[in-house]
Amino acid sequence: MNVREQWIAFVTILVKEIRRFTRIWPQTLLPPAITIALYFVIFGTLIGPRIGRMAGFSYIEFVVPGLIMMSVITNSYGNVVSSFFGAKFQKSIEEVLVSPVPSYVLLSGYVIGGVIRGLAVGSIVTCLSLFFTDLQVHNITITVTIVFLTSVLFSLTGFINAIYANSFDDISIIPVFILTPLTYLGGVFYSMEMLPKFWQDISMINPILYMVNAFRYGLLGVSDISVGWAFFMVAALCIVLFCYASYLLNQGKRLRT
Amino acid sequence: MNKLALCITSLHKEYGNGFQALRGVDIEVQRGDFFALLGPNGAGKSTILGIICSLVKKTSGKISVFEADIDDDFSLVKKNIGVVPQEFNFNQFEKVFDIVKTQGGYFGLPRKLSEKRAEKYLKLLGLWDKRDQTPRMLSGGMKRRLMIARALIHEPKLLILDEPTAGVDIELRRSMWEFLRKINEDGTTIILTTHYLEEAESLCRNVAIIDRGKIIQNTSMRELLRQLNTEFFVFDTHKKLIKLPRMDGYKGHLVNSSSFEVEVERHQSLNALFANLTAQDIQILSMKNKTNRLEELFISLVQPHEEKAEEVSG
């Protein structure tokens, strides 16, 4: 395939992905908006004022970046894992496998589809947050870049999960037992300063902590960790996972017998 | 110029559980041919087709499609192939038109061209009025036709059909045959697997029969049918028959009071039989071939292998 044909194939996959999640918007866009709105109500209006200030900000101001990031992570991941596994399950993935689409184009199409869903939900959640607090942007470049990279990273993770998954149970194990705990313990709801030294050290191995803090830095200008290191880590993980997912596709892992 | 559309040499496939699906398969398909790949269930037909279109990984062997080797230029190979699989494999939630159009996008066709071709093939296959429905709303026959439309969107030079008329009623099957004949006449090489041997006999010029992962026959349909030694004909008579007419040199038996069956060997002429019957003032109203000829031959080719296998395992 020449470059133009590859671009057409990429756009085809992307449009198909966007059409999929917009077609079923009551399952894909509405639930995260309601869930996060509830978080805003509980932490912003009910509990937040009693918790007091955190890192120099009101509690609702502090948790909004973390909650936006949480919705981006779960939706990027969820979009790719369910879409790709669904295609595997229905065997419609064979439509692409018998075509000349190179594996990196196929992967990019699914990943950017996941990114767009993540960013769409992130935007909805951001708009909702405006009903509860004023949103400031400390550094727009950092904010946009880190949210994009995080979205790419979790789309890739969802893709790899979908490749290995043999059943619908397999695609819910990672979100329930790994993603959710890491997100909740990734500094969404609290500052690292609140933890004892031992737990601070343990938290440093949680990659989501870096993404949440880098995003919070972009919006509020405060972070528990080095933003430069966070960028390096997320970008490096994106590259490693992209290469690994491409390798799995080229090998036909669980796709070709 | 090489005249081969497909060349398979010494193809082996061993699955992870140790099962040897293919044991040295060699097949050549000429450009423009209508080729049948026949064999009992589990013989390896779908494995061969799966390897050609990259859904199954080969263990060893060489495959080239229009001179392009699948190991060296898989992209070109795939561009030349259209696949109609045995099982329905489209997204059940997408619209018929979108399914076909999207497939064009996977092959790098610009959107306008994809839409034009999708319209063309959906109309040709009688699915245009179903374009806004999802596959869940279609009958089995319509789903089969949808898979054919999807496979043709990039106008491949080689069309591979894995049991395309399975579960399709006879009227629809015949209209699909007409369609396939037409695209074959227009230059598309077609490889077909089917369990309806009548279908292969009617459509295909060349045939390979595979059994237990090995090709046991690879010849022209005409040559294959020539191997038949005996054919059975049923004659319907004008007058009621009390007993079987006298037929010198022919074996037969009475089916009922107005028809009888005759066994005709290859060296025997039907003219002599008719002369015989005319002499007895027996008028023949109609005559039909009792069995599917290819079916008979197929069974005779495959059975010895099965018996041999039973002896070994027994």
Side-chain angles (χ1 to χ4, degrees):
Chain A
M1 284 186 115
N2 59 35
V3 176
R4 184 166 177 266
E5 289 169 334
Q6 289 186 22
W7 173 251
I8 291 171
F10 167 76
V11 172
T12 301
I13 296 168
L14 185 57
V15 168
K16 188 167 171 266
E17 283 301 287
I18 294 170
R19 216 167 46 208
R20 189 193 77 88
F21 77 72
T22 49
R23 185 177 57 225
I24 50 170
W25 65 270
Q27 294 171 46
T28 53
L29 302 177
L30 193 59
I34 291 173
T35 308
I36 299 292
L38 288 171
Y39 277 116
F40 289 151
V41 171
I42 293 164
F43 293 116
T45 315
L46 304 178
I47 300 175
R50 299 183 186 205
I51 294 174
R53 297 183 76 78
M54 195 164 291
F57 293 91
S58 69
Y59 190 63
I60 184 69
E61 284 176 314
F62 182 82
V63 293
V64 160
L67 290 173
I68 294 171
M69 201 53 134
M70 190 165 89
S71 63
V72 170
I73 287 171
T74 50
N75 282 280
S76 301
Y77 183 91
N79 192 71
V80 180
V81 78
S82 59
S83 175
F84 194 74
F85 181 73
K88 247 176 75 171
F89 186 77
Q90 293 188 75
K91 289 182 179 276
S92 63
I93 193 63
E94 290 178 2
E95 292 177 334
V96 197
L97 296 179
V98 301
S99 77
V101 175
S103 54
Y104 58 84
V105 173
L106 167 64
L107 178 58
S108 304
Y110 272 93
V111 167
I112 299 302
V115 169
I116 290 176
R117 156 105 175 258
L119 297 183
V121 173
S123 304
I124 292 169
V125 169
T126 306
C127 292
L128 283 173
S129 73
L130 298 175
F131 290 100
F132 300 90
T133 182
D134 293 328
L135 197 67
Q136 56 170 302
V137 181
H138 174 72
N139 186 320
I140 187 73
T141 313
I142 288 179
T143 306
V144 172
T145 315
I146 196 67
V147 83
F148 176 78
L149 285 176
T150 303
S151 193
V152 169
L153 181 62
F154 283 94
S155 295
L156 284 164
T157 317
F159 192 90
I160 292 166
N161 186 181
I163 284 184
Y164 279 105
N166 283 323
S167 67
F168 283 100
D169 287 341
D170 293 342
I171 64 169
S172 63
I173 286 171
I174 303 277
V176 171
F177 295 104
I178 298 175
L179 207 54
T180 306
L182 285 181
T183 309
Y184 278 65
L185 299 172
V188 172
F189 299 104
Y190 56 84
S191 167
M192 288 281 285
E193 292 167 2
M194 296 171 66
L195 297 178
K197 177 78 173 68
F198 174 77
W199 289 109
Q200 281 188 20
D201 293 342
I202 292 288
S203 295
M204 297 306 276
I205 58 170
N206 178 359
I208 293 178
L209 178 83
Y210 295 84
M211 299 162 207
V212 168
N213 271 280
F215 186 62
R216 184 173 285 136
Y217 178 84
L219 289 179
L220 304 179
V222 293
S223 172
D224 292 328
I225 46 93
S226 154
V227 174
W229 173 241
F231 266 97
F232 171 77
M233 204 190 65
V234 177
L237 277 172
C238 283
I239 292 166
V240 170
L241 292 191
F242 189 90
C243 294
Y244 184 58
S246 297
Y247 167 79
L248 292 176
L249 273 179
N250 286 331
Q251 292 296 307
K253 183 81 178 173
R254 308 236 169 139
L255 295 170
R256 298 185 166 105
T257 49
Chain B
M1 187 180 69
N2 189 331
K3 296 246 177 87
L4 293 179
L6 173 71
C7 179
I8 299 177
T9 314
S10 194
L11 186 64
H12 286 79
K13 172 63 187 175
E14 186 177 333
Y15 283 101
N17 58 8
F19 174 67
Q20 282 207 324
L22 302 176
R23 297 179 291 163
V25 168
D26 298 291
I27 297 174
E28 287 188 350
V29 179
Q30 301 291 322
R31 290 177 188 220
D33 200 358
F34 208 135
F35 188 91
L37 182 59
L38 307 177
N41 283 331
K45 305 181 297 289
S46 295
T47 302
I48 294 175
L49 302 188
I51 292 172
I52 297 168
C53 59
S54 87
L55 294 175
V56 177
K57 292 185 268 188
K58 64 185 167 73
T59 304
S60 65
K62 298 282 279 180
I63 298 177
S64 63
V65 176
F66 293 98
E67 295 178 65
D69 192 299
I70 63 165
D71 294 323
D72 300 333
D73 198 348
F74 218 162
S75 176
L76 181 60
V77 168
K78 285 176 171 184
K79 274 188 179 180
N80 284 329
I81 297 177
V83 188
V84 180
Q86 201 177 116
E87 290 176 41
F88 302 128
N89 67 344
F90 21 62
N91 187 325
Q92 296 293 324
F93 304 103
E94 272 196 278
K95 289 178 184 170
V96 164
F97 186 77
D98 289 336
I99 287 172
V100 182
K101 186 183 83 172
T102 301
Q103 192 69 14
Y106 294 152
F107 281 84
L109 303 184
R111 190 172 55 87
K112 292 258 182 220
L113 181 59
S114 276
E115 286 173 353
K116 207 171 130 191
R117 294 239 186 113
E119 183 180 341
K120 173 184 163 186
Y121 286 108
L122 287 175
K123 279 181 176 169
L124 279 173
L125 285 152
L127 289 171
W128 182 242
D129 58 336
K130 306 284 178 191
R131 64 190 178 278
D132 290 325
Q133 295 189 1
T134 58
R136 287 180 297 174
M137 316 283 283
L138 303 181
S139 67
M142 288 173 182
K143 286 178 185 170
R144 296 256 165 233
R145 282 180 282 155
L146 173 57
M147 291 206 291
I148 295 176
R150 186 184 61 183
L152 289 172
I153 188 75
H154 60 292
E155 303 194 331
K157 291 199 272 183
L158 172 63
L159 181 65
I160 294 173
L161 303 132
D162 197 356
E163 297 184 29
T165 54
V168 172
D169 68 55
I170 189 74
E171 193 183 346
L172 191 57
R173 199 184 307 161
R174 285 182 191 277
S175 74
M176 280 168 75
W177 290 2
E178 281 312 306
F179 178 79
L180 294 174
R181 266 195 204 106
K182 174 79 177 62
I183 58 169
N184 177 244
E185 281 165 15
D186 291 345
T188 308
T189 308
I190 298 180
I191 299 176
L192 172 94
T193 77
T194 179
H195 276 130
Y196 302 113
L197 299 180
E198 176 202 2
E199 182 166 273
E201 191 177 340
S202 165
L203 292 171
C204 302
R205 287 188 285 279
N206 290 294
V207 59
I209 297 179
I210 183 170
D211 189 31
R212 295 169 193 275
K214 280 196 161 177
I215 299 291
I216 54 173
Q217 275 283 345
N218 189 358
T219 181
S220 70
M221 189 63 79
R222 190 178 294 176
E223 182 55 41
L224 188 68
L225 293 173
R226 202 172 286 160
Q227 292 177 26
L228 272 171
N229 285 320
T230 312
E231 289 200 62
F232 295 86
F233 294 95
V234 176
F235 293 90
D236 293 321
T237 59
H238 185 65
K239 273 197 236 166
K240 288 208 167 186
L241 299 167
I242 301 160
K243 59 174 187 170
L244 184 71
R246 184 173 49 79
M247 298 176 293
D248 300 335
Y250 295 90
K251 288 181 206 161
H253 67 270
L254 209 56
V255 177
N256 55 43
S257 60
S258 60
S259 62
F260 61 97
E261 185 181 314
V262 183
E263 189 179 329
V264 181
E265 289 185 15
R266 195 164 54 161
H267 66 272
Q268 290 181 304
S269 151
L270 281 171
N271 289 9
L273 176 62
F274 277 110
N276 222 321
L277 295 169
T278 308
Q280 294 169 72
D281 196 25
I282 294 172
Q283 283 184 44
I284 302 299
L285 288 177
S286 67
M287 177 183 99
K288 61 178 179 282
N289 196 328
K290 187 196 166 193
T291 52
N292 182 309
R293 299 180 303 155
L294 186 58
E295 196 164 311
E296 202 178 307
L297 187 59
F298 179 78
I299 291 165
S300 73
L301 285 167
V302 170
Q303 252 171 3
H305 289 73
E306 285 177 354
E307 280 161 12
K308 206 180 279 179
E310 275 168 22
E311 280 168 25
V312 173
S313 63

